[in-house]
Amino acid sequence: MNDFLRQVVLSQEQIRQRVSELAREILSLYGDTRLILISILKGSVIFMSDLVRQLPPSTEFYFLQLSSYRDATVPQGKPDFYALPVPDLRGQHVLLVEDILDTGQSLEYAQRHFLEMKPASLRICVLLAKEGYESSPMPKPDFLGFVIPREFVVGYGLDYQERYRGLPEIGIPADL
Ligand code: XMP
Ligand code: MG
């Protein structure tokens, strides 16, 4: 525990183990097929970095910037969307990598954007989903790390007002 967290939800070791399992699940589905990861900035960067280092060296990664929370702890309407350069995705296998799924609005937005590029497949890998996410009509993850309580969490890429992204564990911030 550190002074910044009121409660640890997932320890560094729990995250490490689960990310390795997810990498194995991804590998068993795609094998050596060319795989393109698209990491949704900024929250999924650390997750994607740990994941890609356990996937075949041919795995490519690109980014999309989406922000629905700005500096708040509840979504602030339609996400801000910045498309960053990606290769031609037509006929390619694409995996969206996201930090956390709540209503699914962000992923639905990203999914619609990339489906227009006619990939051979477009799947979703999410580290965390908030309890009750299944009741939303939005996209469901193909790969999911953990279901967590409906609390605002930080660490391992997730921020509160841009802080705490570098914490190795995930938890509830003390200053919230
Ligand atoms: P939706 O509702 O679009 O929300 O599925 C997912 C996006 O909201 C952000 N989010 C969080 N960020 N701690 C955070 O730091 C949280 O507990 C949290 N819940 C949702 C996240 O950026 C994700 O892309
Ligand atoms: Mg995010």
Side-chain angles (χ1 to χ4, degrees):
M1 178 77 98
N2 58 57
D3 295 345
F4 310 109
L5 298 180
R6 170 151 58 84
Q7 188 191 321
V8 174
V9 175
L10 295 167
S11 69
Q12 195 172 354
E13 184 53 24
Q14 283 174 297
I15 299 168
R16 194 192 61 72
Q17 276 190 20
R18 187 70 188 118
V19 172
S20 296
E21 285 168 11
L22 286 173
R24 284 196 291 275
E25 287 175 33
I26 292 169
L27 196 57
S28 73
L29 180 69
Y30 293 98
D32 285 335
T33 318
R34 180 185 179 200
L35 178 63
I36 295 178
L37 305 181
I38 298 183
S39 157
I40 302 182
L41 291 170
K42 293 186 252 182
S44 73
V45 160
I46 293 178
F47 174 39
M48 192 279 294
S49 311
D50 282 345
L51 203 57
V52 75
R53 284 178 294 169
Q54 300 178 62
L55 294 174
S58 59
T59 309
E60 299 174 32
F61 62 82
Y62 302 91
F63 299 100
L64 168 73
Q65 184 153 15
L66 273 186
S67 172
S68 51
Y69 276 53
R70 307 195 181 92
D71 279 344
T73 57
V74 291
Q76 305 290 298
K78 197 163 85 71
D80 290 332
F81 182 98
Y82 307 96
L84 295 165
V86 289
D88 184 3
L89 299 181
R90 185 176 292 268
Q92 301 303 323
H93 295 279
V94 177
L95 183 61
L96 293 176
V97 180
E98 175 62 314
D99 50 1
I100 183 163
L101 176 68
D102 186 359
T103 64
Q105 185 182 241
S106 312
L107 275 169
E108 202 255 343
Y109 213 73
Q111 204 181 34
R112 237 182 315 129
H113 175 73
F114 290 112
L115 280 174
E116 281 173 20
M117 301 181 191
K118 307 267 185 284
S121 69
L122 180 65
R123 292 192 176 88
I124 294 173
C125 175
V126 180
L127 180 65
L128 310 171
K130 291 206 178 167
E131 258 167 14
Y133 77 96
E134 311 94 322
S135 57
S136 152
M138 298 293 189
K140 302 290 175 282
D142 299 279
F143 303 95
L144 171 61
F146 303 92
V147 177
I148 60 161
R150 301 197 63 77
E151 296 275 359
F152 188 83
V153 293
V154 299
Y156 198 68
L158 293 151
D159 72 306
Y160 175 51
Q161 299 183 340
E162 295 303 326
R163 288 173 297 145
Y164 310 133
R165 290 191 194 277
L167 293 179
E169 64 272 271
I170 291 173
I172 303 171
D175 58 351
L176 197 83

